[in-house]
Amino acid sequence: MEATVVTANAKPLVKVAALCGSVRRGSYNRGLIRSAIEMSKGPINGLEIEDVDITGLPMLNTDMEGEGSFPPVVEAFRHKIREADSVLFASPEYNYSVSAPLKNAIDWASRPPNVWADKAAAIVSASGGSGGARSQYHLRQIGVFLDLHFINKPELFINSHHPPGKFDKNGDLIDAQTRENLKKVLLSLQTFTLRLQGR
């Protein structure tokens, strides 16, 4: 039997479910998730980030629930959240709040048993005006009921309109300072998750 070699710098694996609140193909928030996944495969050790698609979820309707069961697409989504150690939300701001697709996903996963409970979480956002600050604070309020534990610092609000040049035409994050700020959010989420789990 071969011995498993663990390097001195290795960290326990933290599995992160990443949710984008925008279903638009060129969404800057989806670009943030792509950058986060890229960082998890390179400069950040011990972080595994999966982009969890919410576009196929039906609108919440409890008539669709069976006896302890949900539609298959909802069951699959809930399983992804349940198996994750923590959650990364990329939340645009729609009308001073979170987007309808994101709130719908949150509500489905909160149906008993609530699969969000006792997980660490972080939020990043790219939007006009305040950069999504109001959506982040609304999401934190929702998280109180869900029993989600958000990191407090650092915060990342990206005004996606001014100054220009932070994202390319495909919605990919190209600004070096913003990428560094995103990395700091991910490292904070990783550290907080391990602390919350006592690892």
Side-chain angles (χ1 to χ4, degrees), residues 10-26:
K11 290 185 178 181
L13 181 65
V14 172
K15 296 176 66 176
V16 181
L19 277 68
C20 179
S22 172
V23 297
R24 187 173 65 86
R25 187 177 303 163

Side-chain angles (χ1 to χ4, degrees), residues 29-40:
N29 288 280
R30 192 165 300 284
L32 290 174
I33 290 177
R34 285 195 297 271
S35 290
I37 291 172
E38 178 188 326
M39 290 177 190
S40 73

Side-chain angles (χ1 to χ4, degrees), residues 19 23 30 46 83 90 99 129 187 197:
L19 277 68
V23 297
R30 192 165 300 284
E83 293 301 305
S99 68
L187 288 171
Q197 295 180 340

